[in-house]
Amino acid sequence: MPNCALLTISDRDGWFIDDDLVHEPLRALGWDVHDVPWTETVDWNQFDVVVIRSPWDYQLDPSRFFDVLESIDKSSATLFNSLNTVRWNINKSYLFDLEKRGIEIIPTYQFSSVTIADLREAEKQLSSENWIMKPIVGANADDTFRIRRGTGDAELCELCSLFKNMDCLVQPFMEQVPIEGEFSVIFFDGNASHSVVKRVRKGDFRVQEEHGGSVRPLLNPEPALVAAAEKTMSVLDEVPLYARVDLVRTPENRFALMELELIEPSLYFRFAQQAAGEFAKVVHRRFGS
C-alpha cells in the first residue's frame, strides 16, 4: 500500500483546512494517508509521496521550511509540488518573470531596504487611491498593509522600519476586490478543476477566511477568466500537481494576475463536489507515471 503525507501546520486551530476531504478518495485508491506537520522530525523515506498542503506558518522561518523540503527531496519520497517549483514560487518576484512571458499582472514595484522616497515615487506612479505593501516572501496576508494616498511621513517611516530587513512589493489596491471579489481558478495536473470567488469582510481588504473573508463557488466562470488562468499555466516550465491562479478584474475589464499559488494554497475542495476525488486521482496517476 503506497503511503502519502499531506504536509500541514502543527496547530490547526483557527484555520480553514479541508485537506481531510482527500483522505477517503486516496484510501479508496489503495493509499495510506497521514497529515504531517512540517515542523515534526520525520523519516521521509517511509512515504512514497509528500504533498505540500497547509504549512501556513512557513513564512515565519522560510529557511527551516526549505531545509525540510530539501530533506524530503533527498529522500525516496516524491515531493509535490517539486522543489524547483517551490524555489521559484516562494519569492513573489516570479510575477515579473511571468510578465516577461506575456502574462498581465497588476502593477507591481519591488524594493529592497525601502525608503520613504521609494514609497512616494510608487505612490506617484500608481493611479489608485489606496495601495498595498507586503513582503516578497509571505503567506496568509501576514505583514500586508493597505495605505491611503497622502499618508504622512511618520506612518511611512514606521513601515520602512518594519520592512528594513526584507524585500517588499508595492501594488495598487484593486478597487474591484471589495466590489466583486478576487477570483481563483484551481488546476490539477494542468487542467482547470473548479473556481471560487473570494470577498472581503466589510471594513477589511483581505480575502482570506482567517481574516473574515468569505468564499463561494463560481459555478459558471466567465470564459475570459478561465482563459487568463489557462494562459498563465501555459507559460510555466513544468506542469505542477496543483495550482491556484488568483485574478482580479481590471478597469479595462480584463483579468490580471494577483498571484500564482504553487506551494501551499487552499484548494477549496469543499466548494466543488468532485474536486477531492479528482485530486486523489491526480496524485495516484502521478505516482504511477
Side-chain angles (χ1 to χ4, degrees), residues 41-140:
T41 300
V42 175
D43 176 11
W44 299 108
N45 292 294
Q46 67 183 293
F47 299 105
D48 298 286
V49 167
V50 178
V51 184
I52 309 169
R53 286 306 317 120
S54 51
W56 291 337
D57 57 353
Y58 80 84
Q59 72 277 11
L60 302 178
D61 196 348
S63 178
R64 182 184 178 191
F65 182 63
F66 255 102
D67 287 344
V68 171
L69 297 188
E70 287 173 351
S71 67
I72 297 171
D73 192 59
K74 291 175 182 176
S75 75
S76 59
T78 300
L79 179 66
F80 292 122
N81 284 322
S82 74
L83 187 60
N84 285 339
T85 291
V86 174
R87 188 175 283 118
W88 176 76
N89 192 236
I90 201 168
N91 187 306
K92 291 182 174 60
S93 61
Y94 71 77
L95 288 167
F96 303 112
D97 189 12
L98 290 174
E99 186 177 35
K100 291 176 183 175
R101 302 183 191 194
I103 302 304
E104 181 177 2
I105 67 172
I106 64 173
T108 303
Y109 298 89
Q110 178 179 343
F111 298 106
S112 180
S113 300
V114 66
T115 65
I116 293 178
D118 291 330
L119 296 180
R120 289 298 182 206
E121 181 60 28
E123 182 181 54
K124 186 188 303 183
Q125 299 298 322
L126 296 173
S127 60
S128 62
E129 285 303 307
N130 297 276
W131 38 283
I132 298 294
M133 187 175 180
K134 61 186 178 183
I136 204 163
V137 176
N140 198 45

Side-chain angles (χ1 to χ4, degrees), residues 197-238:
V197 58
K198 300 170 288 184
R199 291 197 168 95
V200 302
R201 180 182 64 183
K202 186 176 181 179
D204 207 317
F205 65 97
R206 299 163 295 185
V207 297
Q208 290 84 357
E209 292 173 286
E210 288 77 14
H211 297 300
S214 63
V215 182
R216 67 173 177 82
L218 197 60
L219 301 180
N220 296 295
E222 294 178 44
L225 173 69
V226 177
E230 289 177 337
K231 182 178 179 181
T232 300
M233 295 295 295
S234 73
V235 303
L236 299 183
D237 291 334
E238 62 180 66

Side-chain angles (χ1 to χ4, degrees), residues 95 103-107 174 182-183 224-225 228 232 245-259:
L95 288 167
I103 302 304
E104 181 177 2
I105 67 172
I106 64 173
M174 303 298 287
E182 175 184 305
F183 302 97
L225 173 69
T232 300
V245 187
D246 294 338
L247 302 131
V248 64
R249 195 188 304 273
T250 70
E252 298 77 22
N253 199 31
R254 298 192 299 268
F255 289 99
L257 183 69
M258 297 275 283
E259 290 199 22

